[in-house]
Amino acid sequence: MRLGQSFAMAIKSIKNNKGRSFLTMLGIIIGLAAVITLVTLVSGVKKQFMMSFETMGTNVVQVEYYQDQRDVSKEIYSKTLELSDLVQAYTPNLSTYETVKQKDKSINNCRILLGSEDYDVCSNYTIERGSMFTHSNVLNSDRVAVIGSKVRTDLFDFENPIGKTIRIKGERFTVVGLFEEKTGAGDYMNNVIVVPYTNNRFLMNSPAVSSFIIKAVDGDATNQVVTEMQEYMKELTGNDWGFWVYSENQYMDFYDEQLAMMSLVGGGIAGISLIVGGIGIMNIMLVSVTERTREIGIRKSIGARRIDIISQFLIEAGTISLLGGLIGIAIGSLLSLIFGRLLFQGTDMVLLPSMPLVLGAAAFSIFIGMFFGFYPANRASKLHPIEALRAE
């Protein structure tokens, strides 16, 4: 029998038993819809995490000293010089919130960041206009600032802010640079003003510098820097509780593990549904073999081979499973789009399953149908023609 005829007979059989065929497909539909939705949502969550990490910067090591109010900036800086082969840049990392004014405009609770001339490198900011302040500005505690895109919009509209002044706690700061907007970060990363950390006495009423960012040269160096800084901070504090050293890369690994576990658990649950669907296909094909025993006898009596009988029933099982898979993929895609909109409100992310996932799901649905359909097909092919013709 030709392949096209087998497909035509499979479709005809499905049409003649629409309700039964749909119920048979239901397990496949639910299983694949669940898999498609889960995998796509996990992919979206991972993408969102990656965007957040890229916004904050990768290969970054955070060092916090909180044993007392001592200024440890010189000690930390000296240690980074010892690790110069591993370290790309270093900056203190202090922050406070102040009202910022420019003529008749103002921003309440603007985030003021205090750092070195390498703050942009360490925090993954890019200068759009002007420049970062210099090491000389830091040494002299100059009143200069680099502003984020939201600050520029709120205080200067679309004017060039370079060379203009803003007021922080009543003091004039000259704007020397403008950061590019960080997309996907909301206002938090763009509503910032970075000034030399040596202004900390004026802005924070404290001489203590106890928080730092170290930018490593790559991922391998990041792990080495974490290890080196942990050992150094133990020596500096004399204990293992008066400090905190961590990297964003560690969080990335942690989130990857958690998302992989979520995928594994969800995939296992969806897999059970697929197995149930496969068993349903096996059951309905056994019923079909019983109903069509005489047909099988007639075909074998006029020369049909075992392979012809097997291929007919396998194609029918595969077709039922494929149709269920396509419906499941469509439902899964729709659910991914809906849940994606709900989970990632405020972003331009559109969640749809990838083409490899769709093709893989379709191929797997065919495999499920043919795997569970083989036993009924093989059983049908072994029927004796005379006994089959006698069947009522």
Side-chain angles (χ1 to χ4, degrees), residues 80-92:
T80 60
L81 292 178
E82 293 178 19
L83 303 175
S84 58
D85 291 342
L86 304 174
V87 173
Q88 179 182 351
Y90 149 88
T91 180

Side-chain angles (χ1 to χ4, degrees), residues 135-327:
H135 184 61
S136 176
N137 292 141
V138 175
L139 292 177
N140 296 326
S141 304
D142 290 338
R143 303 292 168 82
V144 291
V146 182
I147 64 174
S149 59
K150 187 175 187 305
V151 175
R152 189 277 299 270
T153 302
D154 290 347
L155 295 183
F156 299 97
D157 293 324
F158 296 100
E159 296 180 28
N160 183 1
I162 306 302
K164 297 183 179 179
T165 60
I166 56 178
R167 287 184 177 273
I168 306 175
K169 293 186 72 171
E171 290 290 325
R172 291 178 179 271
F173 282 74
T174 302
V175 178
V176 296
L178 169 66
F179 290 131
E180 284 185 3
E181 181 181 1
K182 283 199 174 190
T183 57
D187 291 340
Y188 181 75
M189 299 295 288
N190 296 307
N191 187 36
V192 298
I193 297 175
V194 180
V195 302
Y197 75 90
T198 45
N199 285 288
N200 62 317
R201 288 179 180 271
F202 161 64
L203 289 172
M204 303 184 69
N205 299 316
S206 172
V209 180
S210 56
S211 179
F212 309 89
I213 300 175
I214 302 171
K215 177 81 169 183
V217 293
D218 55 35
D220 292 335
T222 302
N223 296 329
Q224 295 180 56
V225 171
V226 168
T227 301
E228 291 284 349
M229 291 307 301
Q230 284 175 337
E231 293 300 319
Y232 179 71
M233 294 304 289
K234 287 181 182 179
E235 295 176 10
L236 185 64
T237 60
N239 56 63
D240 56 5
W241 55 263
F243 64 92
W244 189 24
V245 179
Y246 63 98
S247 75
E248 302 294 351
N249 294 28
Q250 293 171 316
Y251 284 110
M252 290 174 67
D253 294 339
F254 172 77
Y255 284 126
D256 279 343
E257 291 176 4
Q258 296 301 309
L259 291 173
M261 183 61 69
M262 287 171 55
S263 298
L264 187 62
V265 172
I269 295 172
I272 293 172
S273 179
L274 288 173
I275 292 174
V276 172
I279 293 172
I281 289 175
M282 182 188 293
N283 181 59
I284 203 67
M285 293 309 298
L286 285 171
V287 172
S288 181
V289 168
T290 301
E291 291 176 343
R292 294 157 64 183
T293 302
R294 284 180 62 82
E295 175 192 326
I296 295 168
I298 293 170
R299 291 188 59 198
K300 296 194 74 172
S301 65
I302 60 175
R305 299 168 299 171
R306 281 192 64 193
I307 189 64
D308 295 325
I309 303 299
I310 290 174
S311 62
Q312 178 189 345
F313 282 95
L314 281 184
I315 289 173
E316 186 170 325
T319 302
I320 291 173
S321 187
L322 176 60
L323 289 175
L326 293 177
I327 296 172

